[in-house]
Amino acid sequence: AGGITQVRECVGLFLRLAKSTGVPIILVGHVTKSGDVAGPRTVEHMVDCVLYLEGGSLVGTGRGSGGGVSSLRIIRAAKNRFGSSEEVGVYEMEGRRGGRLVPVSDPSSFFLSTRLDDADSEGCAISVVLEGIRSMTVEVQALVAWSAGSGAYGGRRIVDGISASRLLLILAVLQKRYGISFFKRDVYVNVVGGMNLGKGSKGGGGSDLAVAVAVVSSLTGIPIRSDTAFVGECGLLGELRPVHSLEKRIGEARRMGFSRIV
């Protein structure tokens, strides 16, 4: 609480204290519903580094999401005067160690740790996303079932880990361009492990193809090959658009043992 002048003076006091003593000072604040730091922008301009700690109940906070709780925590740098703001730290909250954050050195293996590598499964597709400058593989699961609604009720759209609006866009493209209808069907999409593709992955656009393949696979009952990873953004005309850092994503998929990348 307080006006801009009060906030500026308080932050300035902490800055002078940090520079005179050489002791780093961490200011903890809240974020708004839009994901910005609450309060005057003056704070962000005065400090040297702005970090966002994401995870837990924030996973899947989009409209219509499942809102599950995850042990995954991700630290992103929105501002960093001492280094790159593209770095992303991935941590796991382990209760058996007193609730400490344990670094995840290999996020791809962490997200695919519960996956059956040699089993072709329907509604399960692997995507390679880019968080900052770090590429990692994630598992996208989809379930399409008949809706219990009646009349003109078109079915529910429940997401956890991707943007609800992104799923609606993909379903609209599949229906308009390819004649695949999801009317009177409930569609559930989940990103395993607690990763939220709507944050640093440019709204999850690079995982569009994996989401589309997963929902169509669940609808038709056709299994997806376990040795295949999917990378691509869906355009409104039904085309696949390229994503940035494609070579880095392909290299990560090959490192994880995928022989086919679409």
Side-chain angles (χ1 to χ4, degrees), residues 75-107:
I75 295 181
R76 308 180 192 274
K79 174 185 178 181
N80 188 3
R81 290 180 178 172
F82 305 106
S84 172
S85 61
E86 295 295 328
E87 293 287 349
V88 175
V90 181
Y91 299 86
E92 182 182 12
M93 179 71 74
E94 294 192 356
R96 64 178 182 272
R97 297 187 181 182
R100 294 187 300 174
L101 289 175
V102 180
V104 179
S105 58
D106 190 356

Side-chain angles (χ1 to χ4, degrees), residues 11-256:
V11 175
L13 178 62
F14 283 116
L15 287 176
R16 292 190 294 270
L17 178 62
K19 293 180 179 179
S20 61
T21 61
V23 177
I25 296 179
I26 300 177
L27 303 178
V28 181
H30 297 279
V31 295
T32 62
K33 292 182 178 180
S34 60
D36 299 323
V37 177
R41 287 284 186 179
T42 306
V43 178
E44 297 185 54
H45 296 319
M46 296 179 65
V47 299
D48 297 318
C49 187
V50 178
L51 299 177
Y52 286 87
L53 179 62
E54 303 170 357
S57 58
L58 294 181
V59 174
T61 53
R63 180 177 299 178
S65 66
V69 177
S70 171
S71 62
L72 185 71
R73 302 294 187 272
I74 297 179
I75 295 181
R76 308 180 192 274
K79 174 185 178 181
N80 188 3
R81 290 180 178 172
F82 305 106
S84 172
S85 61
E86 295 295 328
E87 293 287 349
V88 175
V90 181
Y91 299 86
E92 182 182 12
M93 179 71 74
E94 294 192 356
R96 64 178 182 272
R97 297 187 181 182
R100 294 187 300 174
L101 289 175
V102 180
V104 179
S105 58
D106 190 356
S108 294
S109 299
F110 173 81
F111 292 126
L112 301 184
S113 58
T114 59
R115 178 175 177 266
L116 300 177
D117 296 334
D118 56 348
D120 297 345
S121 304
E122 65 177 61
C124 178
I126 303 299
S127 181
V128 187
V129 300
L130 201 66
E131 292 291 335
I133 60 176
R134 172 181 290 185
S135 57
M136 58 187 73
T137 56
V138 295
E139 180 180 353
V140 179
Q141 293 182 347
L143 175 64
V144 180
W146 284 107
S147 175
S150 60
Y153 182 71
R156 294 189 298 175
R157 308 292 184 252
I158 308 297
V159 299
D160 196 353
I162 70 169
S163 170
S165 59
R166 200 73 197 178
L167 174 62
L168 294 178
L169 183 148
I170 294 172
L171 296 181
V173 170
L174 291 175
Q175 178 175 347
K176 177 69 174 181
R177 304 301 177 186
Y178 302 100
I180 303 176
S181 176
F182 293 88
F183 183 66
K184 290 190 175 300
R185 305 268 187 165
D186 291 337
V187 180
Y188 305 86
V189 176
N190 174 55
V191 180
V192 178
M195 172 63 71
N196 192 335
L197 303 184
K199 293 292 185 179
S201 308
K202 292 190 175 181
S207 59
D208 285 354
L209 181 58
V211 175
V213 171
V215 295
V216 172
S217 171
S218 180
L219 176 67
T220 60
I222 301 176
I224 302 173
R225 289 182 52 167
S226 60
D227 61 347
T228 305
F230 301 90
V231 179
E233 179 179 352
C234 293
L236 295 181
L237 299 181
E239 81 282 12
L240 280 180
R241 306 184 65 85
V243 295
H244 65 287
S245 302
L246 182 59
E247 292 299 326
K248 181 181 294 187
R249 299 176 193 242
I250 293 177
E252 180 67 13
R254 289 176 176 172
R255 186 185 72 84
M256 293 301 299

